[in-house]
Amino acid sequence: MKHTTGLVVEGGGMKCAYNAGILDAFLDHGISFDYCIGVSAGSGNLASFLAGQKGRNLRFFTEHIHSPRYFGLRSLLKTGDLFGLQYIYGTLTRADGRDPLDCEAFLRNPTRYEAVVTNARTGKAAYFGKEKMRQDDYRLLMASSAIPAVCRPVVLDGIPYYDGGLSDAIPVQRALDQGCDRLVVILTKNRGYLRKPQKFRFLYSRICRQYPEVVRAIDHRHETYNKNLQKVFALEKEGKAFVFAPSETLSMGTYSMKEDSAKALYDLGVRDFEAAVQAVHSFLEN
């Protein structure tokens, strides 16, 4: 029986240094997939993976973070984005940038690709693929990473979108709906993690008041996320998913700009892959 194998990569800001390590290990071992879907920073990491650019993702967590244009108050005041999305996915990533994405290789890769975004008007998840990507136009990656309240929405085809993690943080059902019958899932939180209700409702409800459905989605994000997680582990129990999750608890948050911590999390991803290499090969080959 020929399987259709999907790869699902969770977001999580700087915590995505973990999945960067696993994706680079996949490149080292020649592991590929029929379909890949990423969320937030996970969508950007997947683009480098599909372009075959080992080490590129790591540089975004350890080298480029030192620019004040990458993250922080200066970026927020100048651009309206706490994360400098235009700097990250524009200035750095374009063909003449400091660390360009090999867009030609990305588009040429036969693996189907999707990124998750959240429609700011409806609060619902939307999914777009390579048809929204072209050389030096990476607004899809920006949209998937635009965290509500600290980033502006990104407009695609006249519709504003926010971070995909708001509406479908671990899109295993989408991968199944796209024809995958087995999945590799990379989480950014430890097993046993349980998301709690979002704090600072007064703040985000005021900042996002133009988009009441986004406020509603933030209110219920913990419920949506925990259901996603239950689905992941149910699929794992059924033998339909192979799940990577950090095997250690490291002090790295969504907004942590610590080079040493990011490198440690990347290295943990590589180690977790190496510890599971035989099992993942067996899962993919059966």
Side-chain angles (χ1 to χ4, degrees), residues 65-80:
I65 60 171
H66 299 296
S67 170
R69 300 174 66 188
Y70 189 101
F71 173 88
L73 184 60
R74 176 178 169 181
S75 173
L76 181 63
L77 293 176
K78 188 173 182 179
T79 69

Side-chain angles (χ1 to χ4, degrees), residues 118 123 166-167 212-222 224:
T118 300
L166 179 63
S167 53
E213 292 305 320
V214 166
V215 174
R216 189 188 308 276
I218 298 173
D219 287 342
H220 295 280
R221 185 182 180 189
H222 62 293
T224 304

Side-chain angles (χ1 to χ4, degrees), residues 54-179:
K54 181 185 175 183
R56 180 175 183 270
N57 288 327
L58 177 60
R59 292 191 293 273
F60 279 79
F61 295 103
T62 58
E63 296 181 18
H64 303 317
I65 60 171
H66 299 296
S67 170
R69 300 174 66 188
Y70 189 101
F71 173 88
L73 184 60
R74 176 178 169 181
S75 173
L76 181 63
L77 293 176
K78 188 173 182 179
T79 69
D81 297 329
L82 188 63
F83 278 99
L85 298 179
Q86 182 58 53
Y87 177 70
I88 295 168
Y89 293 116
T91 304
L92 291 174
T93 299
R94 66 192 181 205
D96 62 351
R98 182 178 166 190
D99 208 334
L101 174 70
D102 188 343
C103 189
E104 182 179 350
F106 166 74
L107 295 175
R108 188 174 60 243
N109 190 312
T111 298
R112 289 189 295 137
Y113 168 86
E114 286 191 312
V116 187
V117 294
T118 300
N119 186 313
R121 296 172 181 168
T122 67
K124 303 297 184 183
Y127 311 90
F128 297 113
K130 293 179 182 178
E131 76 280 354
K132 294 292 185 186
M133 299 269 284
R134 61 179 182 271
Q135 184 71 63
D136 296 347
D137 183 356
Y138 305 118
R139 285 174 296 166
L140 175 58
L141 304 182
M142 296 179 196
S144 189
S145 303
I147 302 172
V150 296
C151 292
R152 297 168 301 166
V154 176
V155 176
L156 300 173
D157 297 330
I159 299 174
Y161 292 98
Y162 277 116
D163 192 307
L166 179 63
S167 53
D168 197 0
I170 317 170
V172 290
Q173 188 58 54
R174 174 65 179 182
L176 296 174
D177 292 344
Q178 290 299 296

Side-chain angles (χ1 to χ4, degrees), residues 231-248:
K231 179 70 173 181
V232 169
F233 292 125
L235 289 170
E236 182 183 44
K237 188 174 181 180
E238 294 170 15
K240 295 180 180 179
F242 191 99
V243 180
F244 285 98
S247 60
E248 301 173 16

